């Protein structure tokens, strides 16, 4: 299993220039960032969080030597509840690489992928009591579904697809059922013009809704706005909704004297990185430095 860490050099370069004794990797995933930080900064301790237990298990195994040396600890946690971690406001560096990992996408049973068939689930942590994607499709009315598809997927055909979901005679059980339904509800010429998989935006929208991703991000930022210590905060985001929230919040923080924006414009991956890792194409990195006041 591999997840090519996105904009890793840029992340390391920012960390290198600040104090980095205690680092919080808030989206551990497959541990790519954490491993690189532990190797590059021999003095540092890394706490890795992820709401997905499979990610925690994988990374613990990958980084077990660092755990033995007491330089690394992994903990299943939603970053939206960061305040529940003891001393959560005492780290030198906070890194959040938002979205889904390669492991989630390539495990059909998790239901994240439109490219392989599996149950319509999409929950990053099934113990968090959220509805599965199948339940969302089943229990939401047509208007709500259209709103979800538009708001979180910016899908132009949100209404047509929502209507097709509700008119469908058989319940949608699998990711394949949903992909087929999306295909038949969009006119062929539209699909040819789209340039991406016709189901991509709908899957993104459902995933964001199922995992309440925007609210968790807001909760996290709300907690960090009260920081009163020097810390580097880095976000890597993959769609405009997340990036907009981070950008707006950083501006507010700067205006209220919380600290300083380090990236006036977001950093983006190099052409070479995008060529080698297509997933990186939409990445935007923003960084902020909080101060004691
Ligand atoms: C893009 S991956 C991170 C990859 C990681 N940087 C690496 O190098 O392997 C995003 C990870 O964030 C996790 N995640 C998403 N939302 C989260 C949240 N609210 N709290 C904690 N983890 C979250 C996902 O489960 C996923 O494993």
């Amino acid at each position: 299993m591999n997840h090519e860490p996105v904009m890793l050099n840029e992340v390391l370069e920012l960390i290198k220039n600040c104090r980095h004794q205690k680092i919080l990797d808030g989206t551990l995933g497959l541990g790519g960032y954490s491993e690189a930080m532990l190797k590059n900064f021999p003095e540092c301790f890394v706490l890795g969080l992820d709401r997905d237990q499979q990610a925690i298990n994988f990374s613990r195994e990958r980084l077990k030597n660092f755990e033995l040396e007491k330089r690394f600890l992994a903990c299943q946690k939603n970053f939206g509840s960061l305040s529940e971690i003891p001393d959560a406001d005492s780290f030198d560096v906070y890194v959040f690489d938002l979205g889904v990992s390669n492991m989630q996408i390539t495990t059909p049973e998790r239901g994240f992928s439109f490219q392989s068939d599996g149950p319509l689930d999409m929950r990053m942590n099934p113990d968090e009591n959220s509805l599965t994607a199948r339940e969302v499709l089943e229990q939401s009315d047509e208007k709500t579904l259209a709103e979800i598809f538009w708001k979180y997927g910016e899908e132009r055909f949100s209404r047509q697809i929502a209507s097709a979901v509700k008119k469908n005679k058989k319940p949608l059980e699998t990711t394949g059922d949903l992909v087929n339904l999306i295909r038949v509800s969009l006119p062929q010429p539209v699909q040819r013009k789209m340039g991406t998989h016709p189901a991509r935006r709908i899957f993104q929208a459902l995933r964001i809704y199922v995992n309440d991703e925007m609210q968790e991000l807001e909760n996290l930022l709300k907690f960090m706005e009260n920081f009163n210590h020097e810390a580097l905060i880095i976000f890597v985001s993959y769609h405009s909704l997340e990036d907009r929230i981070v950008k707006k919040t950083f501006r507010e923080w700067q205006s209220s004297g919380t600290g300083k924006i380090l990236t006036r414009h977001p950093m983006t991956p190099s052409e070479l990185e995008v060529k080698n890792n297509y997933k990186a194409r939409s990445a935007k990195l923003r960084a902020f430095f909080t101060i004691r006041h």
Side-chain angles (χ1 to χ4, degrees), residues 97-108:
D97 180 20
L98 303 172
V100 268
S101 73
N102 214 18
M103 181 158 69
Q104 289 163 329
I105 291 287
T106 56
T107 309

Side-chain angles (χ1 to χ4, degrees), residues 102-253:
N102 214 18
M103 181 158 69
Q104 289 163 329
I105 291 287
T106 56
T107 309
E109 305 85 68
R110 303 295 303 273
F112 287 102
S113 173
F114 47 76
Q115 273 159 341
S116 44
D117 203 17
L120 265 170
D121 190 329
M122 300 197 193
R123 290 169 302 171
M124 289 183 187
N125 177 2
D127 296 331
E128 279 179 14
N129 288 334
S130 57
L131 297 179
T132 63
R134 182 179 63 74
E135 289 163 338
V136 170
L137 292 168
E138 215 169 77
Q139 296 174 19
S140 312
D141 59 28
E142 188 175 322
K143 185 163 170 278
T144 309
L145 276 186
E147 276 167 13
I148 295 172
F149 296 159
W150 173 245
K151 186 169 174 196
Y152 299 126
E154 290 170 339
E155 170 57 67
R156 273 196 307 141
F157 295 92
S158 53
R159 283 206 225 112
Q160 286 90 328
I161 297 169
S163 161
V165 170
K166 287 291 127 180
K167 288 201 182 99
N168 200 41
K169 301 241 164 37
K170 280 200 311 198
L172 297 167
E173 297 285 351
T174 69
T175 51
D177 292 343
L178 179 59
V179 170
N180 290 337
L181 182 114
I182 295 168
R183 280 195 196 282
V184 293
S185 29
L186 296 178
Q188 277 299 324
V190 169
Q191 290 193 37
R192 273 198 296 275
K193 263 202 202 152
M194 283 173 106
T196 58
H197 193 288
R200 194 180 68 81
R201 288 168 182 275
I202 296 294
F203 271 64
Q204 173 187 298
L206 277 171
R207 190 204 84 214
I208 291 175
Y209 183 80
V210 163
N211 295 289
D212 210 3
E213 291 180 30
M214 294 306 129
Q215 189 56 53
E216 300 303 350
L217 178 59
E218 298 270 12
N219 294 347
L220 169 67
L221 291 163
K222 187 97 202 110
F223 172 66
M224 293 199 297
E225 97 187 0
N226 297 319
F227 280 3
N228 188 13
H229 72 294
E230 291 195 347
L232 170 67
I233 298 173
I234 302 174
F235 278 94
V236 180
S237 55
Y238 297 87
H239 62 83
S240 52
L241 280 174
E242 296 169 333
D243 183 55
R244 241 178 272 148
I245 295 177
V246 174
K247 174 174 149 186
K248 181 171 154 282
T249 308
F250 280 4
R251 283 197 179 153
E252 286 166 6
W253 286 358

